[in-house]
């Protein structure tokens, strides 16, 4: 890879008639496609005044429930993905076995599969017409059109985030320190908590943050599996759509503004964690030189 | 210290959330009905449910809640078949409700369990145009004039879409046209539909909020609400004739038996036929079936023809027009 400072120097030598239009196009597009819509969310949310904003968010039982539901469903889905993502990343980074490439491809599948398909697969497994779904329903347990399906669909859609983030970090670190720990008598668990986890913690956190942002904002797959029952299975994104369609623009935008704030906080945390990751990388690069 | 208590709090939160999610799947009696409805009836059921809950609490001393789910009529039927725990379905078409019976969730002859063939109200398809009706749309043939674009949802998923289709088709037959004329008219008509939304309310948003199209073919009640919300930007046009839309209501036997809600579900549907229920229906511009309430609500006189002008039974209509490769699909292919 080229030295970043050098690349910057090269750009500065480009003539102004190339630089300025390109900068203008980038800034213009960013402004038009991102800043203006985001700002308009907040403008519209507060268009009826600040008290009305809080009334819209907390005065309506169905909106309150949607906030609660998102705060319950997203963390559970993220936790599932953190555990599975760690295991999958470890397996892929540390072991060589037949089907390893296939496994890597499978992990990425949720990124490329359409959300409606992601939703429908759960309907086909847990729907009343399916063997498993019918059996569960006959025994008084509802998966589909109930919060358990929301967690499953969200976990499916956000599955790649943690694993994808961890695989390169694990591969970059290499197994040497872990092997050393084992040879000095550490148990597998000790090795994991004292060596592996500290080495990847920022990468893991990074994956978790992205995963959570996506989980809270998930719409497509949830739309299919939730049945959109107001006050029961509507998460915040579904609630935004419903309020908008019921001509309640300020309330729709009030909920949308919460989701936007989640995005902004995510961005902020992302920058912090990225900084830590770079620092950690620099530290680990120094270690061999110091020895 | 701080770090440990943060971790402990996070873990406790996670376990609580996970426990709640898992337990939320357990079916239990929480004094709740679910009304799975077609798309444009949101405001109607919101008011009706509140009225019923009060009425039922007065009569029985029990406080129930009625939940709503809305979407394209066909997709909603599919959802109930796949296990959405609907005590009551209020869908746009007979064939959507009957699909639930065919799946074995509802008794034979469901249509005759409630008064007036299980129709507490009827409706029809009208036009919504922009202020001043700039394209001069008054009747069905005007829809295919030069430069007119039309917004209507897809007949595949939406009850509104099917009724709009049948209204346009029937209007040609009712004014002396042949089936070939009707086919040619529909081909011209759907060429003017830039986007086929999946449900009635989505189409309304396309027309009213995204401001696409010159004419919106929609339910009379939806048109009323859409025009009211537009604050003068839209107006209704009543074509001289249109289809008599019949959105049936029914309880879902399998679900109410499983949940033990049969009596309340029936009470809910009976409430629709009471004077109080009929007046709420009229206020939302559905045509109530109680003649006195209907007369008092002063609806625009229109020549309403039944869906049977397009075929002898709903199964025949569904098969002929809306199956894969049916008339509608042939209309869309050029």
């Amino acid at each position: 890879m080229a030295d970043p400072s050098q690349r910057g120097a090269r750009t500065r030598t480009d003539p102004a008639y190339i630089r300025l239009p390109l900068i203008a196009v980038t800034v213009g597009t960013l402004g038009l496609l991102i800043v203006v819509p985001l700002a308009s969310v907040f403008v519209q949310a507060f268009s009826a005044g600040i008290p009305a904003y809080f009334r819209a968010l907390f005065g309506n039982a169905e909106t309150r429930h949607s906030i609660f539901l998102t705060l319950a469903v997203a963390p559970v889905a993220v936790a599932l993905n953190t555990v599975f993502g760690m295991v999958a990343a470890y397996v892929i980074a540390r072991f060589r076995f037949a089907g390893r490439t296939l496994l890597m491809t499978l992990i990425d599948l949720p990124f490329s599969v359409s959300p409606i398909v992601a939703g429908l697969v759960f309907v086909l497994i847990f729907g009343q017409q399916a063997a498993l779904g019918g059996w569960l329903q006959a025994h008084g347990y509802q998966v589909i059109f109930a919060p358990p399906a929301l967690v499953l669909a969200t976990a499916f859609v956000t599955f790649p985030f943690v694993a994808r983030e961890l695989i390169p970090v694990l591969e970059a670190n290499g197994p040497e320190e872990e092997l050393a720990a084992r040879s000095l008598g550490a148990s597998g668990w000790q090795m994991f908590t004292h060596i592996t986890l500290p080495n990847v913690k920022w990468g893991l956190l990074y994956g978790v943050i992205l995963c959570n942002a996506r989980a809270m904002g998930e719409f497509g797959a949830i739309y299919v599996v939730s049945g959109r029952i107001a006050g029961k299975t509507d998460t915040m994104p579904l609630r935004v759509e419903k309020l908008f369609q019921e001509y309640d623009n300020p309330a729709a935008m009030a909920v949308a503004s919460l989701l936007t704030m989640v995005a902004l906080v995510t961005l902020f945390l992302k920058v912090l964690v990225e900084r830590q990751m770079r620092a950690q990388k620099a530290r680990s690069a120094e270690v061999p030189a110091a020895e | 210290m701080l770090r440990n208590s943060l971790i402990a709090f996070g873990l406790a939160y996670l376990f609580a959330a996970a426990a709640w999610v898992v337990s939320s799947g357990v079916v239990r009696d929480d004094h709740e009905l679910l009304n799975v409805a077609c798309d444009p009836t949101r405001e109607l059921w919101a008011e009706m449910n509140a009225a019923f809950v009060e009425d039922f609490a007065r009569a029985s001393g029990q406080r129930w809640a009625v939940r709503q789910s809305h979407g394209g009529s066909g997709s909603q039927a599919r959802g109930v078949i796949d296990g959405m725990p609907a005590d009551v379905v209020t869908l746009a078409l007979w064939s959507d409700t009957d699909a639930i019976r065919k799946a074995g969730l509802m008794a034979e002859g469901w249509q005759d369990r409630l008064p007036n063939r299980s129709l507490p109200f009827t409706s029809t398809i009208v036009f919504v145009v922009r202020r001043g009706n700039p394209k001069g749309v008054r009747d069905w043939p005007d829809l295919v004039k030069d430069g007119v674009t039309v917004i209507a949802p897809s007949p595949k998923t939406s009850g509104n879409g099917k009724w709009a289709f049948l209204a346009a088709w029937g209007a040609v037959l009712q004014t002396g046209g042949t089936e070939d004329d009707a086919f040619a008219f529909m081909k011209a008509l759907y060429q003017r539909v830039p986007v086929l939304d999946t449900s009635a309310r989505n189409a309304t948003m396309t027309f009213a909020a995204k401001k696409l199209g010159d004419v919106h073919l929609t339910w009379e009640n939806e048109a009323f609400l859409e025009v009211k919300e537009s604050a003068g930007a839209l107006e209704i046009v009543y074509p001289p004739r249109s289809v008599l839309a019949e959105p049936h209501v029914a309880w879902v036997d399998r679900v109410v038996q499983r949940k033990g809600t049969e009596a309340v579900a029936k009470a809910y549907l009976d409430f629709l036929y009471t004077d109080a229920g009929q007046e709420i229906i009229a206020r939302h511009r559905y045509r109530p079936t109680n003649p006195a309430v209907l007369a008092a609500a002063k609806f625009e006189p229109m020549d309403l023809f039944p869906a049977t002008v397009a075929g002898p039974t709903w199964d025949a209509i569904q098969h002929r027009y809306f199956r894969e490769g049916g008339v509608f699909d042939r209309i869309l292919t050029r």
Side-chain angles (χ1 to χ4, degrees):
Chain A
M1 219 206 291
D3 180 3
S5 61
Q6 229 170 23
R7 267 184 305 169
R10 209 191 72 75
T11 333
R12 274 196 296 279
T13 62
D14 279 333
Y17 66 86
I18 291 182
R19 259 191 299 141
L20 295 181
L22 282 180
I23 292 174
V25 166
T26 313
V27 172
T29 323
L30 218 63
L32 211 64
L33 289 182
I34 298 176
V35 179
V36 171
L38 280 190
S40 82
V41 165
F42 288 97
V43 170
Q44 293 225 29
F46 287 102
S47 62
I50 291 170
Y53 174 82
F54 286 101
R55 246 198 329 276
L57 283 183
F58 303 112
N60 180 306
E62 287 169 0
T63 303
R64 269 201 313 271
H65 188 272
S66 75
I67 297 172
F68 161 75
L69 191 60
T70 295
L71 291 179
V73 163
V76 178
V78 173
L80 285 177
N81 278 342
T82 309
V83 174
F84 292 139
M86 290 271 295
V87 174
Y90 192 82
V91 164
I92 283 172
R94 290 290 181 265
F95 306 146
R96 293 289 174 274
F97 54 96
R100 181 174 165 272
T101 331
L102 182 71
L103 193 64
M104 277 180 82
T105 320
L106 273 182
I107 286 176
D108 275 346
L109 190 74
F111 272 155
S112 47
V113 89
S114 158
I116 187 154
V117 178
L120 282 178
V121 291
F122 290 105
V123 176
L124 291 181
I125 298 170
F126 293 108
Q128 195 168 242
Q129 305 302 316
L132 181 58
W135 184 84
L136 282 170
Q137 196 141 50
H139 289 78
Y141 198 78
Q142 179 102 22
V143 174
I144 208 89
F145 309 117
L150 303 183
V151 169
L152 290 175
T154 307
F156 178 91
V157 172
T158 58
F159 187 77
F161 283 98
V162 174
R164 270 278 112 190
E165 227 28 78
L166 280 183
I167 293 170
V169 183
L170 276 172
E171 276 178 341
N173 279 321
E176 293 82 7
E177 291 181 28
E178 292 165 6
L179 290 174
R182 289 308 296 266
S183 72
L184 294 172
S187 70
W189 179 248
Q190 279 174 325
M191 176 204 82
F192 178 76
T193 50
H194 284 87
I195 306 293
T196 316
L197 203 55
N199 274 342
V200 300
K201 67 176 176 200
W202 295 114
L204 179 66
L205 197 58
Y206 190 80
V208 167
I209 289 167
L210 289 186
C211 187
N212 181 61
R214 184 74 178 76
M216 288 195 162
E218 172 53 24
F219 180 82
I222 287 216
Y223 188 88
V224 179
V225 299
S226 72
R228 305 166 303 282
I229 305 165
K232 292 288 267 189
T233 62
D234 271 349
T235 59
M236 281 164 69
L238 294 179
R239 187 76 193 142
V240 173
E241 196 222 16
K242 199 168 269 185
L243 286 167
F244 176 69
Q245 291 197 331
E246 286 163 14
Y247 301 100
D248 198 347
N249 256 359
M253 290 305 149
V255 182
S257 75
L258 284 189
L259 285 170
T260 312
M261 281 187 252
V262 170
L264 293 178
V265 170
T266 303
L267 208 65
F268 175 72
L269 291 175
K270 198 167 131 315
V271 172
L272 279 187
V273 171
E274 268 169 338
R275 199 168 287 166
Q276 292 290 342
M277 276 167 88
R278 270 201 303 276
Q280 192 175 37
K281 209 185 235 171
R283 271 199 307 276
S284 62
E286 274 165 20
V287 174
E291 277 169 355
Chain B
M1 237 345 253
L2 176 71
R3 194 157 149 244
N4 283 344
S5 37
L6 268 179
I7 290 174
F9 172 78
L11 284 178
Y13 182 93
L14 257 181
F15 279 115
W20 180 81
V21 167
V22 171
S23 69
S24 68
V26 178
V27 178
R28 55 184 166 263
D29 176 21
D30 33 17
H31 281 213
E32 247 176 40
L33 289 182
L34 172 60
N35 178 356
V36 171
C38 60
D39 211 25
T41 53
R42 301 159 187 244
E43 291 76 14
L44 168 70
W45 295 124
E47 187 179 348
M48 186 72 78
N49 294 347
F52 168 74
V53 165
E54 289 310 317
D55 186 76
F56 191 75
R58 265 196 304 277
S60 70
Q62 291 175 16
R63 183 148 282 273
W64 280 61
V66 186
R67 304 267 175 214
Q68 297 169 248
S69 163
H70 295 277
S73 186
S75 351
Q76 292 291 77
R78 182 70 232 203
V80 173
I81 292 168
D82 280 328
M84 215 195 289
D87 303 275
V88 165
V89 285
T90 53
L91 302 175
L93 289 109
W94 188 90
S95 51
D96 288 332
T97 312
D98 202 53
I100 297 168
R101 174 197 61 83
K102 282 183 182 150
L105 307 184
M106 206 184 273
E108 300 282 336
W110 57 267
Q111 184 192 283
D112 303 316
R113 300 188 302 195
L114 288 164
N116 195 30
R117 293 168 40 241
S118 295
L119 287 168
F121 55 86
T122 61
S123 186
T124 186
I125 297 292
V126 299
F127 304 161
V128 181
V129 296
R130 310 224 173 261
R131 184 188 0 236
N133 196 358
K135 300 282 166 100
V137 177
R138 307 251 163 257
D139 196 357
W140 293 95
D142 299 333
L143 296 179
V144 296
K145 284 195 303 194
D146 278 344
V148 175
T149 53
V150 179
I151 297 297
S154 165
K156 293 277 189 176
T157 54
S158 159
N160 175 188
K162 284 200 179 72
W163 285 116
F165 180 99
L166 294 170
W169 182 273
V172 177
L173 299 185
Q174 292 286 302
T175 47
T178 64
E179 298 238 314
D180 288 340
D181 297 337
F183 191 86
F185 175 74
M186 299 304 273
K187 216 171 166 71
L189 175 62
Y190 278 92
Q191 269 173 15
R192 286 152 203 284
V193 180
V195 41
L196 285 166
D197 286 296
T198 54
S199 68
R201 191 54 63 83
N202 284 335
T204 304
M205 290 298 133
T206 300
F207 187 75
K210 296 180 198 154
K211 303 203 175 359
L212 227 65
D214 304 305
V215 193
H216 176 203
L217 306 184
T218 191
W219 296 92
E220 187 175 29
N221 52 283
E222 182 75 354
F224 171 77
L225 180 67
E226 183 180 358
V227 167
K228 193 174 87 182
E229 291 289 338
S230 79
L234 303 173
E235 30 189 272
I236 301 188
V237 170
Y238 295 94
R241 65 188 58 74
S242 188
V243 73
L244 175 67
E246 298 189 323
H248 295 267
V249 302
W251 68 86
V252 184
D253 297 84
R254 176 89 78 83
V255 176
V256 295
Q257 281 156 17
R258 193 177 66 219
K259 288 165 66 178
T261 50
E262 189 161 356
V264 189
K266 284 179 187 167
Y268 176 63
L269 293 178
D270 284 338
F271 181 73
L272 309 180
Y273 293 90
T274 62
D275 285 349
Q278 291 280 299
E279 270 155 26
I280 293 172
I281 284 165
R283 200 150 54 237
H284 289 269
R285 303 313 278 173
Y286 298 83
R287 300 185 175 217
T289 46
N290 177 329
V293 184
L294 178 67
K298 295 207 174 23
F299 279 88
E300 192 76 15
M302 289 167 74
D303 179 9
L304 297 181
F305 51 82
T308 45
V309 300
T313 64
W314 267 110
D315 283 340
I317 291 173
Q318 177 69 28
H319 183 74
R320 178 169 180 213
Y321 299 94
F322 306 125
R323 70 159 201 275
E324 280 307 302
V327 170
F328 178 69
D329 281 345
R330 288 210 301 284
I331 281 168
L332 284 195
T333 52
R334 319 203 152 193

